[in-house]
Each structure stands twice: as structure tokens, then as C-alpha cells.
Amino acid sequence: MSLVAAAIAVAGFAGAPSLALAQDASAVAAAAAKAATAKPNVVVLATGGTIAGAGASAANSATYTAAKVPVDKLLAGLPELAGVANVKGEQVFQIASESFTNDNLLSLAKRVSQLVKQPDVDGIVVTHGTDTLAETAYFLSLTVHTDKPIAVVGSMRPGTALSADGALNLLNAVSVAASKDARGKGVLITMADQIQSARDTNKDINIETNAFQSQWGSLGMVVEGKNYWFRAPVKRHTMQSEFDIDSITNLPSVEIVYAYGNVQPTAVNALVGAGAKAIIHAGTGNGSVADRMVKPLQDARAKGVFIVRSSRVPYGFVLRNAEQPDDKYDWVVAHDMRPEKARILTMLALTKGADTKELQRMFWEY
Ligand code: DAS
């Protein structure tokens, strides 16, 4: 139905309109068209996850299949979006995010980079599984050169469940992506009404809707379409980043070793043998390394494999030369980066041929 016909239908006029009515209707149509052009243009790139999930019944809030609902259905199920922005959807992937690969990261980031260059695109939303959402969001923050808002969003419950969180999360994400005051703040994670920095936000709770937390706190909140800001990021991102997805075609093998009581060097030796270019050591405490692990890691370093000391402890940050003589061993510390995010930054650093000194600088700056 055309806008004019719709206007007439809404006005309750039946049959052929008089000239006056037709003029009213065309004025309504013109106003509607003007309003549409006045609204920001947001592209929603869908990759799968719970936000696209479906369960067998409304009582299934935790038992469901992820990555089922296509983006057009997601958007059609949220008519409130029309009041926020002109929204277009693209189905980039349809996968549960635990299955994301480096190739998925590269192709998604390249698509985002293409779209943000378009003058008719004002903001981007990426819908994503929550399991690796924070890694993807950080990767985008490090590699996409734009100050346009990019909001990454997921949900902890499928849309079929009672008190599903996906619809409001998606509405909020589009609202933030459409906001001028969200420009220049780096890639954002918008879950449970929070606006958080991709850099230091992680999935800290695996069964609650407020799953995403940052030890440094949210940047702000989005409530009924309005953003309330309380702080801004101080680390480099997007426009200030030295990494550019448009010039990256491959990501090197950077792997993670998790420390625990009785840990053995088996994994380290296997990863070095498999050609890892760097190993992120997710140590205990402040990035501690078991005495029996020091030599295997030194041997790896001697073979040219970078060693980055991170921690399995979620909050705080690893001090350089505290638990281990990093200067002497030529190792790097991951600062406050979780192991899986330290891996993202290290992969990108190695695409630039960074040495240990450069890699450590990047951990202080990003
Ligand atoms: N399997 C999870 C994922 O795709 C589901 C989710 O929480 O989004 O990350």
C-alpha cells in the first residue's frame, strides 16, 4: 500500500478522495517521507547467537538453539525500530559465536569497514552470540577506522522465552548506533541498558541477563532511547588505531595456555610444535608462572615465539617484572587484558611485525 493510500486508510476515508483529501494525503506522505529522511540510517549486521535463538517453549530461557532466526524476522518483530532509525539488515553469518573463526572476524570487520565509509550509513549494529561477543567487539574497535557508532549486541535468552532480553537490547543498540553523542567513543557493547566499552567489557556471568561487566565500569546507560554518559574511553581505538582492517588479510596463530595447580608444559610444547607465533599464558594470580613452566616458555621464546603473561583472574592487571623477570626473559605483560583479548591484540600486533618492545607498548596503549 502506498503512503498516500495508507494515509487515506488511516484517515478513514473510503472511495475516491476529493482533491482536498488527496492534497491532505500527499502532504501526509510528504511529511512521512521527510521524517524518514530525517531519521539516521543504521545497518544491522547479523551473525547469529542467542539473540537469533529459539526455544521449544516460553519456559525455556536457557535451553534453546542459537542462530535460527534470520535478521529480517528479528527486525520485523521490532516495529519500535521505525521510531528510532531507518534500519536495514544483512545476514553476515548465522552461527553460535563459540564457533567464530579468524576468517569470520576478518570478513565481518571488512564489511563494517565498507559500510561506515558510505555517507548514507550513520551507524552500525552487530548482533552476535554472547560467548565471543567481547572478542569480536574489541577486534572491531582495533581495526575499523570510523568515529561512527558501532554497537555490538546479543542476548542471554532467546526471543521465544518469557522476559526475553533480546528485543530491548536490539532496540537500545540501534538507538545508540543512531546517536550523534555515541560517535568517537570506540566500539560499544549495549546489553541490559548499559553502554560499555568493547575494550574492557567481558561476559562475566554465563546465565544472567546482566552478563557483561567491566571492572572499570560502564561508559553510560541507554534508557528509553536516551544515552546517559558518565565517562569516556582513554585507550586508543578506531580512528586512533594503527591497525586497519582494510590492509589485513590474515591473522597469525596466537594461542592460549591456561594455568592451574599441577599444570604441565604439554600444551606449551604442542602449540610451539604446531607453529604458534605467540602464546598467551593465562597465569594464576598476577600472571604467575609455575616454576616447571618457566623453561618451556623460555625455550619457546628462544624459538621466536612471543610470550604474553595474562591472568586467569578476571579483575586487576598484571604487573611487569613482578611475578616474573619479564625484561630478562623478553616477555610481555597483558596489563588488564583478559587472555582471549590479549590474543586479539597480539595477533594484530604481529601483522605489523611488532617486536617485544612494540608489543608491550601496544598493551599499554590499546
Ligand atoms: N552459544 C552462545 C553464542 O552463540 C549463545 C549466546 O549466548 O548468544 O555465543
Side-chain angles (χ1 to χ4, degrees):
M1 181 186 287
S2 75
L3 274 172
V4 173
I8 293 169
V10 165
F13 299 112
S18 67
L19 178 59
L21 282 179
Q23 283 165 339
D24 283 354
S26 59
V28 168
K34 188 168 178 298
T37 53
K39 281 203 289 287
N41 299 322
V42 172
V43 178
V44 175
L45 298 177
T47 71
T50 294
I51 197 166
S57 81
N60 288 123
S61 61
T63 308
Y64 56 84
T65 307
K68 300 300 281 180
V69 181
V71 64
D72 294 341
K73 206 169 166 203
L74 281 181
L75 299 180
L78 204 50
E80 292 77 7
L81 290 173
V84 176
N86 301 316
V87 179
K88 271 189 199 160
E90 275 185 29
Q91 193 76 47
V92 185
F93 317 114
Q94 185 67 296
I95 54 176
S97 75
E98 61 269 22
S99 302
F100 243 62
T101 63
N102 285 351
D103 287 345
N104 293 137
L105 275 181
L106 288 168
S107 54
L108 173 63
K110 287 179 185 297
R111 184 58 185 142
V112 173
S113 182
Q114 263 179 339
L115 285 166
V116 292
K117 291 182 176 69
Q118 291 178 202
D120 61 344
V121 171
D122 298 300
I124 301 284
V125 168
V126 175
T127 62
H128 197 291
T130 60
D131 287 8
T132 62
L133 185 149
E135 293 160 64
T136 298
Y138 186 44
F139 184 82
L140 294 173
S141 203
L142 292 173
T143 60
V144 177
H145 286 203
T146 184
D147 64 358
K148 292 180 183 177
I150 299 172
V152 186
V153 66
S155 75
M156 293 300 289
R157 296 173 180 155
T160 47
L162 289 171
S163 302
D165 54 329
L168 184 56
N169 283 355
L170 180 54
L171 181 63
N172 284 345
V174 170
S175 170
V176 170
S179 308
K180 285 193 172 58
D181 65 6
R183 293 179 73 110
K185 292 194 167 65
V187 171
L188 303 167
I189 294 175
T190 55
M191 300 271 293
D193 307 331
Q194 301 296 316
I195 308 175
Q196 296 169 302
S197 168
R199 176 194 180 275
D200 42 60
T201 301
N202 301 287
K203 183 175 179 179
D204 278 353
I205 308 168
N206 63 17
I207 201 155
E208 293 178 11
T209 52
N210 64 331
F212 284 78
Q213 303 286 329
S214 162
Q215 67 173 324
W216 311 124
S218 296
L219 300 179
M221 285 188 76
V222 48
V223 181
E224 295 188 0
K226 184 170 169 39
N227 303 332
Y228 299 86
W229 301 102
F230 300 99
R231 64 185 187 88
V234 295
K235 299 288 188 177
R236 292 173 69 175
H237 57 73
T238 56
M239 294 300 282
Q240 308 108 3
S241 176
E242 62 201 282
F243 311 109
D244 183 348
I245 189 61
D246 295 346
S247 57
I248 297 172
T249 53
N250 185 46
L251 294 170
S253 165
V254 174
E255 310 304 334
I256 301 173
V257 170
Y258 195 88
Y260 48 89
N262 196 51
V263 64
Q264 300 300 315
T266 317
V268 169
N269 297 335
L271 290 169
V272 172
K277 301 298 180 207
I279 287 177
I280 312 296
H281 179 270
T284 53
N286 195 259
S288 306
V289 177
D291 50 12
R292 60 184 169 276
M293 293 290 286
V294 172
K295 182 153 185 337
L297 290 171
Q298 286 177 305
D299 292 348
R301 187 70 199 104
K303 289 175 185 164
V305 177
F306 289 92
I307 304 300
V308 180
R309 285 198 303 118
S310 178
S311 174
R312 70 182 202 179
V313 176
Y315 293 156
F317 56 83
V318 178
L319 283 171
R320 189 170 173 79
N321 294 317
E323 286 292 340
Q324 292 292 330
D326 298 298
D327 290 352
K328 180 179 166 200
Y329 292 168
D330 196 31
W331 291 356
V332 174
V333 292
H335 202 24
D336 63 332
M337 275 294 141
R338 295 282 175 87
E340 62 276 16
K341 282 190 168 162
R343 172 182 168 268
I344 297 286
L345 181 55
T346 302
M347 284 196 295
L348 290 169
L350 298 188
T351 66
K352 309 279 281 184
D355 59 12
T356 310
K357 187 164 174 288
E358 275 294 275
L359 181 52
Q360 185 65 74
R361 169 187 66 79
M362 292 169 180
F363 272 100
W364 299 142
E365 293 182 2
Y366 288 93

